[in-house]
Structure formats: C-alpha cells, structure tokens
Amino acid sequence: MYSCVLWTLLLTLPLLIKGDQVKRTDVCENSGKFLKCDSKSVLKIKDVVCMPNNYTCPEKDRIVSICEGQSSCESFGLRQQLWTYCQDQPRRTVVVDFSCESVENTPQCRTNLCIEEARDLLCPVGSTIHVTTMKCGPDDDQRCPWNLNYIIYPTCEGKQQCGASGLRILGLDNVCRNRSFVLVDYICVQNSEVHGTCTGITQKLPARFGVIKSPGFPQNPDGNPDGCVWTIALGLGKRIDVTVHMSYSREETDGNDCSAKFLHVHYKDCRTMTDVAEYFCQTHNVNIARQSCGDVRVQSYSYYKGEDRGNRFLVSYEVIGYEVKGPSFAPYILPCGSTGSGLIASSKEIKDGGYLTSDDGKSGNGTVMEYPLNPRKFSFILKIVMINFLLFVLAFILVISICLVCYKTRQIDRKGIYQISKETKDNEKVGSSKQREVNDDTRILLGDNHENTHSNKAN
C-alpha cells in the first residue's frame, strides 16, 4: 500500500509541475516582447508584480484585459500603458508571470494601432479581415469615437492585409494623441462566409456565422439593381446575435428618419417575443447589437447606377447554440498571418528568447526567465502533496485497524464457541458417568433380588 502511494506521488508531481510552466518577463524593459506563446496556445496571466517593493500591481487587471487569451502581447505597447511605473525603470519596473495554455479554437487577432511597432492586420489566402470590436482604452467600456469606425471598416473590411501605419495617417493620429490606445480585434473569415452579392432572390445562409455587406462595399460603382434579401434560420439554436457595424445613407438627412429604401432587419425580439422590423441608416450609430429568438431577414431594396445616395452597410451574425463550445465563428476562420510568423511566436523564438536555464542560472539578455514552476506557488503545491500523502497514510492505518478489529472479533467469537462446546461435552460425560453408576446400582439391586427369589423357591 505504501509503495503504491509513493509511486502515485512520484508520477503525479512531475505532471503537476509540467502542466503549470510559468515564465517571467519585465515588460518595462522589453514592452512585452517576450510575452507570447506558440500558435496553439494562449496567454494566461498569473501575476503582475511591481518591483522593487514586490507587490501585486493595480494594473494587473489592465494587463489581463489586454493580453489574456492572446497568442502574443508583444505589439500592444505595454511599456507605454504602464508609463507611471516604467518611466523610473530600472529603479521601478513591472514583472509579469504568465503561462501558455493550449486551446482548441483559433483566438481572435489583436493589435494596438497607436504604437509604432503595431502589427498590420493580416490574413492568409482564402480569407479576409473582419473587425469584430474596437476600444480606445485599456478598460472594456472605453468605446472609440463613432467616426473611427468609418476609417477602419471601409479601409480594412474584406481585405487580406491592412497596414497599421496607413490607418494612423488616415486619422488615427488625433485619437492616439489623446488616448494612446486603439485596440482592434479581428478575425480572418473564410471567403465563403462573406456575402455581398445581390440577385433579387432570397439567399438562405446556413452557416452559424457570416458577414453581410452592401454590394461593392465600401464602394458601389454599379448600384444595386436587383435588391438584396438574406435569411438566417435559427434552427436548433438558442438565439441569433445580429450586429450592424455601420450603415450610411444620405437619406438620414431627411428628418433623421430612415426610409424603407435602405437597410432593414426583421427579427423576433427575445424580450417581448414579437416580430420587429427595424431600419438602419444613421451614420453615428455603429455596432448596434440585436438578439433574435426566431429567424432573421436582412433586406435592402434596389437602386440603379447613378441613383447612389451613399448606401453602405456592414452586418455580421452568429447563431448561438445551446451546447456548442467556443465562439460561433470558430469553424469558419483561419489563423492570422500568411504563415503565422507575423503575429505569434514560434517555439524557436521562445527557446532563443533568453529564458533562464539550469546551466548558468541567469537569463541570456536579462529580460525573461522561465521556471518549471512558479516558486511562490511551489510551497502551496508541496503542501497539497503532503496533505494527500497524510490522507493516504491515515486511510491505510484506518483500513489496517478495521481489519485487525474484525480479525480479533472473529477470534473471540471462535474461542467462545469452543469453550461452550467443551463445557457441553464435559456435562455429557458427567451425565453418562452418573447414568452408568445408576445402571450399575440398579443391576446390583436387581441381582440381589434375583438371588433372594431363587433362595425362596429352593426352600
């Protein structure tokens, strides 16, 4: 039993250590250059420590919001975001403990367009860029100005590559000067799930995710003579999330009332369970989200070449399932970058990044260290192992005690039965002896009587 427990501990402890590999990097020194994983893993932020006082930084939530769930955090300008601490580097610095966790689904791509080292938005052949969200600050509720959508979406949507430097020239410099942060999340959607051709016939969209846009978006040189109708079936799903990322028409100037000639969406409101027809054409309303508990129909009426009144729209949808894990777009996207080397780190890069080795005890460039296990958590894991070991020992002692008690009880029971049986046999022997004595006495008496009887007869 003891050997089994020891073998279990010896086999389990290395697995625990291997499954929680923690790396450490100084983001004030390298701005998150080594805060990255390979293409099949994402970042998990363990701790953010402000040195030299060695306490958890208040900016931990900010770094988690920016980096966690990404394959790389090297192009987000972390040094700039933590300038309060990093301006006094090396006297004051910020150290991030992180690990890499394997994931099944391809994560969204992310870049901060306000920094010089920002990565371009890049997708492989057979897919195009679709911007899912934008925020102009490290906090989730810091939305970007509405006019920023009319720079990024027309410039990048549907393209295979979109340069970050070009976006700054087009108007992001003013936003970056005030906020120093424009974080763009995007995915690489397969071309088959992007719908922008209008035939006048209702087109059924069977996939759980897709992008719908006006013909020729963002231009429209040929008009829309046939009109557009797309339907999205709920099927066995829970609901359909529809997002109108942008819609533009000069018709909004007519009393700010969108007419039926432009984009309208028919859906079943999940709160009231009533059918709703909603029109969209106002420029300053961006990323409008609606939830439908029934089928959805997206429609735009026809207009001929030369009648263009600036009708542009961009819509995306997701069919949310009951038991489906991961985002709805997961089966329909490809990893960012043509080869994956532009946005994520390779295993060789991580190996050559100057991590701590057992040979010299120092990092190659003084920026990143790698441990098989976080030292601050080693004592905690050791305590858990010791507690489990003690529990095994107590359980073993308890089982042995129970077995001994049962054995002794059985022995006592057997001894008691033996004594009772012995006394019974002794009593039977005594009874038999007394019975024989009685029989002998009886025979003696009977013999005397018999002799007397014969004497009397002789006389």
Side-chain angles (χ1 to χ4, degrees), residues 27 31 35 69 72 74 162 166 231 278 303 316 330 365 391 393 411 416 445:
V27 296
S31 193
L35 194 57
S72 171
E74 59 180 323
C162 187
T231 60
E278 192 170 357
Y303 54 91
S316 67
N365 54 17
L391 290 175
V393 172
Q411 290 294 105
L445 291 175

Side-chain angles (χ1 to χ4, degrees), residues 193-213:
E193 307 309 327
V194 180
H195 311 281
T197 303
C198 298
T199 61
I201 303 173
T202 300
Q203 303 179 57
K204 296 181 180 180
L205 307 181
R208 292 176 48 235
F209 171 82
V211 178
I212 304 171
K213 56 185 180 180

Side-chain angles (χ1 to χ4, degrees), residues 179-225:
R179 300 172 182 263
S180 71
F181 198 95
V182 175
L183 198 65
V184 176
D185 289 344
Y186 71 98
I187 56 178
C188 296
V189 185
Q190 296 181 26
N191 293 336
S192 58
E193 307 309 327
V194 180
H195 311 281
T197 303
C198 298
T199 61
I201 303 173
T202 300
Q203 303 179 57
K204 296 181 180 180
L205 307 181
R208 292 176 48 235
F209 171 82
V211 178
I212 304 171
K213 56 185 180 180
S214 55
F217 180 90
Q219 290 81 28
N220 191 5
D222 299 323
N224 181 22

Side-chain angles (χ1 to χ4, degrees), residues 107-170:
Q108 293 192 70
C109 315
R110 177 174 290 179
T111 186
N112 182 6
L113 297 176
C114 286
I115 60 175
E116 292 296 330
E117 61 268 26
R119 299 284 187 178
D120 294 344
L121 283 70
L122 182 64
C123 287
V125 176
S127 64
T128 57
I129 297 168
H130 172 62
V131 177
T132 56
T133 56
M134 290 183 290
K135 60 179 181 179
C136 290
D139 300 327
D140 292 335
D141 58 349
Q142 291 183 280
R143 297 182 179 180
C144 295
W146 65 268
N147 56 348
L148 190 61
N149 291 265
Y150 284 83
I151 296 175
I152 294 179
Y153 277 115
T155 306
C156 299
E157 189 72 28
K159 308 294 194 305
Q160 188 177 342
Q161 183 174 3
C162 187
S165 58
L167 291 172
R168 289 196 294 272
I169 294 174
L170 289 176

Side-chain angles (χ1 to χ4, degrees), residues 41-286:
S41 303
V42 296
L43 293 167
K44 179 69 175 180
I45 306 299
K46 300 293 185 178
D47 201 1
V48 180
V49 182
C50 286
M51 304 295 288
N53 296 326
N54 196 25
Y55 64 91
T56 299
C57 293
E59 280 72 16
K60 178 181 179 181
D61 292 340
R62 175 183 296 185
I63 294 181
V64 170
S65 174
I66 296 173
C67 299
E68 189 153 301
Q70 298 297 310
S71 293
S72 171
C73 204
E74 59 180 323
S75 61
F76 298 162
L78 292 182
R79 177 183 172 87
Q80 187 176 0
Q81 301 303 318
L82 302 171
W83 185 245
T84 303
Y85 294 90
C86 295
Q87 62 181 342
D88 294 332
Q89 199 269 341
R91 186 179 67 86
R92 295 175 64 188
T93 187
V94 178
V95 176
V96 178
D97 293 341
F98 69 98
S99 63
C100 296
E101 295 186 350
S102 300
V103 292
E104 296 180 1
N105 300 318
T106 302
Q108 293 192 70
C109 315
R110 177 174 290 179
T111 186
N112 182 6
L113 297 176
C114 286
I115 60 175
E116 292 296 330
E117 61 268 26
R119 299 284 187 178
D120 294 344
L121 283 70
L122 182 64
C123 287
V125 176
S127 64
T128 57
I129 297 168
H130 172 62
V131 177
T132 56
T133 56
M134 290 183 290
K135 60 179 181 179
C136 290
D139 300 327
D140 292 335
D141 58 349
Q142 291 183 280
R143 297 182 179 180
C144 295
W146 65 268
N147 56 348
L148 190 61
N149 291 265
Y150 284 83
I151 296 175
I152 294 179
Y153 277 115
T155 306
C156 299
E157 189 72 28
K159 308 294 194 305
Q160 188 177 342
Q161 183 174 3
C162 187
S165 58
L167 291 172
R168 289 196 294 272
I169 294 174
L170 289 176
L172 262 68
D173 281 341
N174 293 331
V175 178
C176 294
R177 193 176 299 112
N178 297 329
R179 300 172 182 263
S180 71
F181 198 95
V182 175
L183 198 65
V184 176
D185 289 344
Y186 71 98
I187 56 178
C188 296
V189 185
Q190 296 181 26
N191 293 336
S192 58
E193 307 309 327
V194 180
H195 311 281
T197 303
C198 298
T199 61
I201 303 173
T202 300
Q203 303 179 57
K204 296 181 180 180
L205 307 181
R208 292 176 48 235
F209 171 82
V211 178
I212 304 171
K213 56 185 180 180
S214 55
F217 180 90
Q219 290 81 28
N220 191 5
D222 299 323
N224 181 22
D226 298 317
C228 312
V229 183
W230 295 278
T231 60
I232 306 154
L234 178 62
L236 300 177
K238 181 179 180 181
R239 69 175 190 274
I240 301 175
D241 290 349
V242 180
T243 303
V244 181
H245 296 284
M246 61 175 293
S247 58
Y248 169 70
S249 175
R250 297 191 184 98
E251 294 176 356
E252 72 164 307
T253 59
D254 300 332
N256 288 327
D257 185 17
C258 301
S259 69
K261 293 182 180 180
F262 192 48
L263 175 69
H264 48 109
V265 179
H266 300 256
Y267 62 96
K268 178 175 286 188
D269 190 284
C270 289
R271 293 172 299 176
T272 62
M273 297 304 293
T274 57
D275 294 330
V276 178
E278 192 170 357
Y279 303 120
F280 300 91
C281 70
Q282 297 181 354
T283 305
H284 60 278
N285 291 334
V286 295

Side-chain angles (χ1 to χ4, degrees), residues 414-430:
R414 289 180 177 179
K415 187 176 181 181
I417 294 172
Y418 173 75
Q419 290 178 349
I420 293 172
S421 301
K422 185 176 181 182
E423 291 177 357
T424 303
K425 291 180 179 179
D426 292 341
N427 292 334
E428 290 178 354
K429 289 181 179 179
V430 172

